[in-house]
Amino acid sequence: MPVLLFLIDTSASMNQRTHLGTTYLDIAKGAVETFMKLRGRDPASRGDRYMLVNFEDVPFGIKAGWKESHATFMTELRNLQATGLTTIGQSLRTAFDLLNLNRLVTGIDNYGQGRNPFFLEPAIIIAITDGNKLTSSGGVQDELSAEAM
């Protein structure tokens, strides 16, 4: 039962248009929808759980958690808007925190006792971004660093 977490860049730079006239955010949404359709055809995907996180501040960046239905996930995906800054450091931290919370709730991790080795739940973070400058409320950063997180 893998957990697939989609981290979608919703910074204002994702409003750029391609030569076909579609925005980068529309392409990202289409990529996630295509992935979900193709993954749904595989019988091994029956236990998959999906999460959707964008680049907004916590808690607004968590659009669909592990308990949400597929329909809620798709609705939240379609409703994403490109505004704000490219805060990939903070968004990655939110993604890892959400995965850790999921593991704590499901009993895979135990507070103060570590991970139960007989539980195996792979987690995959799929980040979709235009790779533009890393911006935050502190200014523009040249590279992702621990301070950005």
Side-chain angles (χ1 to χ4, degrees), residues 98-120:
L98 188 59
L99 287 172
N100 287 335
L101 180 62
N102 172 48
R103 288 184 171 153
L104 191 63
V105 168
T106 57
I108 293 173
D109 285 346
N110 292 306
Y111 182 75
Q113 297 175 356
R115 177 163 296 154
N116 288 325
F118 48 86
F119 284 135
L120 178 63

Side-chain angles (χ1 to χ4, degrees), residues 1 70 74-75 107-108 111 115 127:
M1 284 187 16
H70 180 74
M74 296 307 284
T75 301
I108 293 173
Y111 182 75
R115 177 163 296 154

